[in-house]
Amino acid sequence: MKKKIPLWLKIIIGMILGVVWGLIAVNLGLEKFTSDWIKPWGTIFIKLLKLIAVPLIFISLVKGVTSITDVSKLTRIGIKTLTLYMVSTIISVAFGLFLVNTLKPGDTFPEQKRKEFQMMYEQNIKEKEQMANDVKDRSPLYIIEDIVPDNIFKAASDNTKMLQVIFFSILFAVAMLLLDSQKVLSVKNLFDSLNEIIIKIVDIIMKFAPIGVFALLAALISDFSADAGLFWALGKYAMLVSFGLIGLLFVLYPPMILLFTKVKLKTVFRALLPTQMVAFSTSSSNASLPVNMRQCNKELGVSESVANFVLPIGATVNMNGTSFYQAISAVFIAQVFGLELTLMQQLTIVLTATLAAIGTPGVPGGGIIMMVIVLGAAGIPAEGLALILGIDRPLDMIRTAVNVSGDAIVAVVIAHSENELDYSVQKDYSS
Ligand code: ASP
């Protein structure tokens, strides 16, 4: 009998072939061919994932919340979820600050290069600053204010407004819970069926994932090969963020798994691979949500009600990779500008990077826009963004992979604590 190749392996093969093709394209001058004939398949893959994101969040949250049935359990899970998200974000920021203050990647950055970068990205920064200013000029409570939509259709049509969709979904579901169950039975049944349909759609889309990531990586390498030099110029910083993010993956999550669950680390990391690969290729937590929900449920045994509740919220609220990156980047910029940060300024970074990560939309480059707020609060010049803008994409890819991993780990921990983790579906990879 033919042995089936598992999805994660197919995705890795797709990624490797994508990188190989990208390098061939750069060397043989096939950039135009790649962008005309290969890139569109990657774009289609991202579009499919985004297409499903809003209905998925709505349907799965309604299904998740209503299947918890008892409001006090819902409140308990809600509090646990937000607490774990907050604590893991603060640990990530602290870890970032520790690394950047110890290794000081910005201290040796040449003055000449700094000026060059500033000139190169002047326009780009103005745009980012403008976007962040729109947010900054509002009241300090803007994050809370922004959660409540005034028009659900407007919110649903904007991928950066997922928190608003989440708010509406939870409100809708809580109302259903508070009503007599007979009265809402038909709607509940409808959502059960819709949930099945959505899960099937995700399965169909995932069949396309290996081709999608192949195309995305091939196009990325052929489009950005000219910028490769930047990565080297910013070597120390880029290495610190990249390896630091990978370190975070191994410093933060294994203790959570080992302390709070009985799942084998190998099982978790293997199940997470497809989600991480999709996150890495799309740089978007929102786009990776469908895969994350599927993997957590099917391979880790997180119950539907927990996965449906914890993961959609995590995709927007919980960004460990982003907050880690924001802390390192803010201090790196300060170091390049020769600014000594006081303890107060460092604490401000902890606070604002935590809030900024919560407010960061799960879309490519979301984190760098919110950086302006961290820099502003800590009194670091926003022009410093010029230094890191050019290499944002590769770093975004890695931090997004960490972001989605954090969501999954919290889902596993909460499912275990609520007796909603089905260990029997987990594969044992130890042999
Ligand atoms: N791209 C990241 C995400 O979607 C956000 C960021 O830019 O840090 O998770």
Side-chain angles (χ1 to χ4, degrees):
M1 219 176 78
K2 226 171 74 186
K3 208 164 169 259
K4 255 180 80 184
I5 306 177
L7 179 68
W8 64 268
L9 192 56
K10 283 192 201 159
I11 296 180
I12 291 190
I13 296 173
M15 288 177 76
I16 295 173
L17 292 179
V19 173
V20 171
W21 177 267
L23 294 173
I24 294 178
V26 172
N27 284 304
L28 300 185
L30 292 173
E31 287 96 338
K32 170 114 178 60
F33 175 86
T34 307
S35 119
D36 284 352
W37 296 97
I38 294 185
K39 192 175 179 178
W41 300 106
T43 314
I44 291 173
F45 178 55
I46 295 197
K47 278 180 149 179
L48 285 170
L49 289 169
K50 285 187 180 165
L51 167 76
I52 199 75
V54 170
L56 176 79
I57 289 182
F58 182 47
I59 294 166
S60 57
L61 264 177
V62 171
K63 165 114 172 90
V65 172
T66 51
S67 59
I68 294 174
T69 57
D70 140 20
V71 179
S72 69
K73 182 173 176 190
L74 179 66
T75 318
R76 191 175 67 232
I77 295 185
I79 292 174
K80 273 197 228 170
T81 306
L82 294 182
T83 310
L84 279 178
Y85 282 161
M86 276 302 253
V87 171
S88 57
T89 304
I90 294 174
I91 294 177
S92 311
V93 177
F95 184 49
L97 283 180
F98 166 73
L99 289 181
V100 73
N101 282 305
T102 319
L103 299 172
K104 302 190 186 331
D107 277 5
T108 48
F109 198 80
E111 171 84 17
Q112 179 54 29
K113 269 264 169 295
R114 188 189 95 197
K115 292 203 174 111
E116 240 173 68
F117 280 8
Q118 263 170 273
M119 303 240 292
M120 220 152 64
Y121 291 103
E122 202 172 10
Q123 186 51 33
N124 226 318
I125 293 174
K126 291 238 162 67
E127 282 165 23
K128 297 263 185 293
E129 248 181 299
Q130 185 51 43
M131 284 159 96
N133 271 337
D134 294 345
V135 180
K136 208 167 60 180
D137 286 345
R138 293 196 247 148
S139 125
L141 286 183
Y142 84 91
I143 291 187
I144 297 175
E145 193 185 315
D146 205 42
I147 293 176
V148 185
D150 54 4
N151 182 331
I152 187 57
F153 293 101
K154 220 162 84 192
S157 63
D158 181 348
N159 272 332
T160 63
K161 296 275 182 260
M162 288 303 172
L163 268 185
Q164 300 194 345
V165 177
I166 290 174
F167 178 85
F168 178 74
S169 313
I170 294 181
L171 186 65
F172 189 95
V174 169
M176 271 174 77
L177 271 186
L178 295 175
L179 280 163
D180 176 12
S181 60
Q182 276 310 312
K183 278 195 180 152
V184 290
L185 188 63
S186 52
V187 177
K188 197 164 183 311
N189 289 338
L190 173 70
F191 271 86
D192 286 347
S193 308
L194 285 174
N195 197 49
E196 294 296 322
I197 297 173
I198 283 285
I199 290 173
K200 193 80 227 154
I201 297 179
V202 173
D203 265 348
I204 299 172
I205 297 176
M206 284 316 290
K207 295 215 179 341
F208 185 57
I211 298 176
V213 297
F214 162 77
L216 284 171
L217 282 187
L220 208 75
I221 293 206
S222 106
D223 286 352
F224 289 103
S225 63
D227 292 338
L230 271 183
F231 204 87
W232 299 122
L234 286 161
K236 249 179 148 179
Y237 160 80
M239 293 291 179
L240 178 60
V241 175
S242 315
F243 286 111
L245 280 167
I246 297 169
L248 185 65
L249 210 57
F250 292 103
V251 168
L252 183 59
Y253 304 134
M256 286 171 75
I257 291 291
L258 295 174
L259 280 177
F260 301 123
T261 77
K262 295 196 172 68
V263 193
K264 294 209 171 72
L265 284 183
K266 213 167 175 183
T267 308
V268 178
F269 279 99
R270 189 67 74 84
L272 277 181
L273 262 182
T275 320
Q276 290 171 334
M277 300 297 144
V278 171
F280 183 79
S281 323
T282 59
S283 287
S284 166
S285 297
N286 289 351
S288 318
L289 178 62
V291 201
N292 212 1
M293 293 182 67
R294 176 185 187 277
Q295 291 302 108
C296 281
N297 181 245
K298 288 205 170 157
E299 303 222 351
L300 290 170
V302 176
S303 72
E304 257 188 18
S305 58
V306 170
N308 285 4
F309 179 72
V310 175
L311 294 173
I313 297 178
T316 350
V317 165
N318 185 43
M319 298 206 174
N320 301 152
T322 299
S323 58
F324 170 86
Y325 147 89
Q326 286 171 337
I328 292 200
S329 304
V331 178
F332 169 73
I333 293 171
Q335 288 170 349
V336 173
F337 280 82
L339 300 171
E340 236 357 286
L341 295 178
T342 60
L343 182 65
M344 202 54 215
Q345 280 170 307
Q346 303 258 4
L347 288 177
T348 310
I349 294 178
V350 175
L351 183 71
T352 46
T354 305
L355 291 178
I358 294 175
T360 298
V363 297
I368 203 157
I369 297 176
M370 298 303 273
M371 270 295 293
V372 183
I373 294 175
V374 183
L375 295 177
I380 302 165
E383 302 80 62
L385 274 185
L387 302 169
I388 55 171
L389 257 177
I391 53 156
D392 190 49
R393 184 62 196 231
L395 302 183
D396 193 4
M397 295 161 81
I398 310 176
R399 66 183 186 249
T400 309
V402 175
N403 289 346
V404 297
S405 310
D407 304 340
I409 302 290
V410 169
V412 172
V413 170
I414 292 195
H416 175 88
S417 76
E418 292 289 329
N419 253 334
E420 300 217 19
L421 194 61
D422 180 359
Y423 282 86
S424 68
V425 302
Q426 294 171 5
K427 293 197 187 86
D428 187 357
Y429 295 104
S430 45
S431 51

